[in-house]
Amino acid sequence: MSRNAKINALLLFLVAALAVLPLALGLGEGKEEPFTGADAQAEAAITELKPDYEPWFSPLYEPPSAEIESALFALQAALGAGVLAYYFGLRKGRRQGAAAAAAGLAAEGAGAPAPGTAAEAEAVAGQAGDTAGPAGGAVGAAPARTPGAGPAPEPGAGPEGGGGGR
């Protein structure tokens, strides 16, 4: 088992333990609402210590039930996880793109064409010796042109084409 697989298995075990241990150990037994949030517990402690306490702020929106409040909290957590996943995925993609660009520059410097470029495609086509046509290029491919040699002749034109403008 690789090191990353061991770490992932350990993290999965820890998450499962965090979910199961409070239930298995009976934490929260004897309470009216055993697993309430910290906000509700703080409110109960404050009203117990100082019954005439007035809060400074009131919530902008008070959900009609605890189930809706819990669902909204879960939605907020899911949206936050999505934003984090997008950010880390974007960072990883940029890092991989930079690594690929660096590998392409290194390959170019060594004389080999960069992967995914037109130069690589030409090199691969030139290596296909068994599919070479009469001019040494791939069958069905246009003949290689030297840069700066002028415009390509039209098909059928020229001395052998027989289609001159007479």
Side-chain angles (χ1 to χ4, degrees), residues 142-143 145 149-155 157:
R145 305 249 330 128
E154 294 191 21

Side-chain angles (χ1 to χ4, degrees), residues 110-164:
T117 62
E120 182 202 28
E122 289 176 13
V124 169
Q127 292 173 359
D130 55 6
T131 60
V139 176
R145 305 249 330 128
T146 306
E154 294 191 21
E160 295 120 15

Side-chain angles (χ1 to χ4, degrees), residues 91-128:
R91 277 192 54 196
K92 183 175 182 173
R94 285 183 179 170
R95 197 173 333 121
Q96 286 176 342
L105 290 175
E108 238 176 64
T117 62
E120 182 202 28
E122 289 176 13
V124 169
Q127 292 173 359

Side-chain angles (χ1 to χ4, degrees), residues 7 11 24 29 53 68 84 96 98-99 109-111 116 128-129 138 153:
I7 290 172
L11 289 174
E29 284 184 11
Y53 175 77
I68 293 175
L84 284 176
Q96 286 176 342

Side-chain angles (χ1 to χ4, degrees), residues 5 26 31 38 50 60 66 75 77 83 94 99 102 115 122 147 155 157:
K31 294 183 180 177
K50 191 170 183 183
L60 296 175
L75 178 65
V83 168
R94 285 183 179 170
E122 289 176 13

